[in-house]
Amino acid sequence: MELRPYQKEAMEAVLSTWEEGEKTKVFIVLGTGCGKTIIFSNVAKKQVEKGHRVLILAHRGELLTQAADKLKMATGLDCALEKAESSCLGSKEMVVVGSIQSMSRDDRLLKFPKDYFQTIIIDEAHHCMSDSYQKVLNYFSGAYVLGVTATPDRGDRKELGEYFDDCVYEYSMIPAIRDGWLCPIKAQTIPLKLDISNVSLSGGDFSTGELGDALDPYLKEIAKQMKQYCKGRKTIVFTPLIKTSIKLCEYLQVEGFNAAEVNGESKNRKEILEAFEEGTFDVLCNSMLLTEGFDSPAVDCIVCLRATKSKSLFTQIVGRGSRLYPGKDHLLLLDFLWLTRKVGLCHPSSLVAKNEHVAKEMDEAYAKGGDPFDLLQMEAKANSIVEKRIEDSMAKRLAALRKMPGSVVDPLQFAASIGAIGVYNEPYFFKWETKKPTKKQVEFLKSQGIDEKTIMTKGQASRIIGMIVERRQKGFATPKQIRLLERMGFERVGNWKFEKASAAIDEIAKAHWK
């Protein structure tokens, strides 16, 4: 298979980082539907070509099968299976797909020499901080490790930062939609207030049992609301409990939907999923069964009744409908009005907002109701408002920086000029980010006109360098150009192209720098 541009970039980012030798445990972030399995399959192939034996770890049977199938399709490589009665020991295959439940058992793990695998790949890497994963990873401690995950929330990143050395590539839902690899998402506010204020937390998230009981009185009205918005669409509904899923399915059938219910105990699960794919059913209700490892690109409506504080989980749910499909121009995400005292409840804004300030701005906008909101358009507007608010609060400092004599560029000024103060102020998650900048980083920043004396950490330097390199690739004005133009009184030059900035500077030079 020919890799998409970002897939190739992700693979090369992993391999080049490993080649440098300093960071051996890395992860990449790929939006759901962006083909992370294709990427790690090609990474596995490259490692096999180096003579590495590769272990691909997953936590569910469906993911194991998916990984094995994609590996064969994308690279032509066969693999051995490490699960239940199957064992890879004695196999000639260089790639092993393994169940974490099986691999973490002492009676299986201790049969392997500690250097048996030279590369380990973890599918859905946000699970890897659990005891079972850490047991396996620590056993094969000399291996190169790649984790792949959909957009993690701040808590996930902090945990991942405890094990991994770095996140070497990120391609989230926003650029994937903009570049045409995922379909646009529209959020529709449903004016039905679901009171879950008395639902307690369990393991950091809403208790599924209490959540199911709290939703029970609303299920009939939810079905009626869905009739208004979901007719003619291929819809998946996620509920907290199996009994909730079954009951809602019955109400939907009363409302005229060809609805089906599927759960982990369904004996005819395969047949139901195939019938849904073929169009026999137009609504599929489930209790969190289909969050991972289930792909149906034709799905164009998602109803999430499993209120959650986990951005990873919410992203997985919505991702079931984010893939492209002929005739599908957007995914409709139904968003009910959740009444709760608990902070951190995921809303559609959680999918695209860069920080909690942008998310809050978005939430306030679509809580007013009305027509479906395009999430990317709403995010851009909210981000602009928040950035403006931050700039206003720092106006005096930024104004002073822009008027200072000399040509050196203050990094804060540069971030403000290109509308990236939010990125500049993001917290650090990795230990290396708090170290001093390297000589190579300092030299590069100086060559770009950045005042290296203000760069205190390696992470801060890395972010500024990342901004500069990305802008160079897209043909935007350089830090030096922006600094000069702002000193001469020009405003909002951060989004100018390089050629436009050069032409303006030439004109100023002809006017004797006036």
Side-chain angles (χ1 to χ4, degrees):
M1 291 182 65
E2 184 176 349
L3 295 180
R4 297 171 179 174
Y6 68 85
Q7 292 174 332
K8 187 175 181 181
E9 289 173 5
M11 180 185 71
E12 290 174 347
V14 172
L15 297 175
S16 63
T17 302
W18 283 345
E19 194 70 31
E20 290 169 2
E22 186 179 345
K23 301 171 184 175
T24 60
K25 299 174 178 62
V26 300
F27 72 92
I28 59 175
V29 176
L30 267 295
T32 302
C34 289
K36 56 184 174 58
T37 312
I38 297 298
I39 295 170
F40 74 62
S41 293
N42 279 275
V43 170
K45 181 182 179 182
K46 292 291 185 181
Q47 294 300 91
V48 167
E49 290 171 356
K50 295 179 181 178
H52 285 212
R53 188 179 280 111
V54 180
L55 171 63
I56 299 175
L57 284 173
H59 68 286
R60 280 178 49 185
E62 290 92 339
L63 297 177
L64 291 175
T65 303
Q66 187 182 84
D69 292 345
K70 289 283 180 70
L71 178 73
K72 178 68 174 178
M73 179 181 69
T75 68
L77 290 173
D78 289 311
C79 64
L81 187 65
E82 193 69 29
K83 177 189 175 185
E85 296 80 18
S86 300
S87 176
C88 67
L89 289 172
S91 170
K92 61 179 178 58
E93 306 299 346
M94 294 294 286
V95 181
V96 177
V97 177
S99 156
I100 187 61
Q101 290 84 357
S102 297
M103 284 297 301
S104 60
R105 290 175 51 185
D106 285 341
D107 59 350
R108 185 182 296 259
L109 184 62
L110 298 178
K111 291 180 181 179
F112 290 91
K114 290 194 173 185
D115 61 352
Y116 191 80
F117 297 106
Q118 293 77 48
T119 298
I120 297 176
I121 296 172
I122 309 167
D123 193 9
E124 307 297 350
H126 48 277
H127 295 291
C128 83
M129 298 309 294
S130 68
D131 292 342
S132 55
Y133 273 96
Q134 288 299 305
K135 182 178 180 179
V136 175
L137 292 171
N138 290 332
Y139 186 82
F140 300 111
S141 58
Y144 290 92
V145 180
L146 167 63
V148 293
T149 181
T151 308
D153 58 25
R154 182 174 293 190
D156 288 330
R157 285 179 186 267
K158 189 172 182 180
E159 281 202 358
L160 292 172
E162 291 295 314
Y163 175 76
F164 289 100
D165 299 320
D166 201 2
C167 173
V168 297
Y169 190 81
E170 184 164 357
Y171 190 76
S172 64
M173 188 173 283
I174 293 178
I177 294 174
R178 285 178 181 158
D179 295 343
W181 298 114
L182 294 178
C183 73
I185 300 175
K186 292 185 178 181
Q188 175 66 62
T189 304
I190 307 299
L192 176 60
K193 298 178 180 179
L194 307 180
D195 189 356
I196 57 169
S197 56
N198 292 322
V199 175
S200 62
L201 298 179
S202 175
D205 206 353
F206 292 98
S207 165
T208 53
E210 292 182 25
L211 189 57
D213 292 338
L215 283 177
D216 196 68
Y218 301 99
L219 295 180
K220 186 177 291 187
E221 182 59 31
I222 289 172
K224 290 181 180 179
Q225 292 287 344
M226 285 180 60
K227 185 176 183 179
Q228 180 179 346
Y229 296 101
C230 302
K231 273 297 183 182
R233 291 182 173 273
K234 198 174 186 72
T235 304
I236 300 182
V237 185
F238 292 85
T239 67
L241 298 174
I242 292 175
K243 68 176 184 178
T244 314
S245 179
I246 293 172
K247 195 168 184 178
L248 178 60
C249 181
E250 292 171 353
Y251 285 135
L252 289 169
Q253 290 169 350
V254 172
E255 293 296 334
F257 286 100
N258 292 321
E261 197 279 334
V262 65
N263 59 69
E265 299 172 6
S266 302
K267 294 181 180 179
N268 59 340
R269 181 169 65 181
K270 183 179 179 182
E271 290 78 7
I272 293 173
L273 295 178
E274 288 176 351
F276 176 70
E277 188 68 23
E278 293 166 0
T280 303
F281 301 115
D282 52 9
V283 179
L284 189 60
C285 298
N286 79 105
S287 172
M288 308 310 295
L289 176 71
L290 308 177
T291 54
E292 297 173 342
F294 174 72
D295 295 332
S296 181
V299 170
D300 63 351
C301 184
I302 294 290
V303 180
C304 180
L305 295 176
R306 199 295 186 210
T308 180
K309 293 165 65 70
S310 169
K311 183 178 176 181
S312 295
L313 176 58
F314 190 62
T315 302
Q316 291 284 3
I317 289 172
V318 178
R320 298 310 104 197
S322 63
R323 287 169 172 79
L324 300 175
Y325 191 77
K328 174 180 168 182
D329 60 359
H330 71 276
L331 167 68
L332 181 65
L333 175 60
L334 298 192
D335 184 37
F336 292 88
L337 296 176
W338 300 93
L339 301 179
T340 177
R341 303 185 195 92
K342 311 293 190 302
V343 296
L345 172 66
C346 287
H347 294 289
S349 61
S350 307
L351 299 167
V352 295
K354 296 176 182 177
N355 54 56
E356 62 268 24
H357 303 294
V358 176
K360 183 180 178 181
E361 195 71 33
M362 292 178 68
D363 292 343
E364 290 176 356
Y366 68 65
K368 298 174 183 177
D371 295 331
F373 292 97
D374 183 287
L375 284 189
L376 256 60
Q377 292 177 6
M378 180 182 284
E379 187 276 336
K381 184 176 180 180
N383 188 61
S384 178
I385 292 171
V386 171
E387 291 283 0
K388 181 67 165 56
R389 195 176 293 150
I390 294 173
E391 284 196 41
D392 288 346
S393 68
M394 305 177 69
K396 288 184 178 180
R397 182 181 174 188
L398 290 170
L401 289 172
R402 285 167 178 152
K403 291 178 181 178
M404 283 180 66
S407 59
V408 292
V409 183
D410 184 273
L412 176 62
Q413 174 201 336
F414 174 59
S417 298
I418 64 174
I421 288 183
V423 176
Y424 181 78
N425 289 332
E426 281 181 2
Y428 298 128
F429 299 102
F430 302 99
K431 295 175 183 177
W432 66 267
E433 291 180 308
T434 61
K435 296 180 180 178
K436 290 183 178 181
T438 65
K439 183 178 179 181
K440 187 176 179 181
Q441 285 179 319
V442 171
E443 289 175 351
F444 177 85
L445 291 169
K446 286 177 68 175
S447 73
Q448 299 300 306
I450 300 292
D451 184 3
E452 80 281 1
K453 300 184 191 68
T454 62
I455 303 295
M456 306 305 295
T457 66
K458 197 173 182 180
Q460 190 181 21
S462 180
R463 285 184 190 171
I464 295 295
I465 291 171
M467 293 177 193
I468 294 171
V469 171
E470 182 180 5
R471 287 175 59 80
R472 179 192 292 172
Q473 293 171 344
K474 294 180 178 179
F476 285 109
T478 67
K480 288 181 179 180
Q481 288 177 321
I482 294 172
R483 168 73 171 134
L484 192 154
L485 289 168
E486 287 183 340
R487 277 183 56 213
M488 300 304 295
F490 286 80
E491 297 179 352
R492 294 182 292 278
V493 295
N495 61 349
W496 283 20
K497 289 291 187 176
F498 178 84
E499 292 79 7
K500 181 178 179 180
S502 295
I505 292 170
D506 287 343
E507 289 298 315
I508 297 170
K510 290 175 185 177
H512 307 290
W513 301 103
K514 294 183 180 178

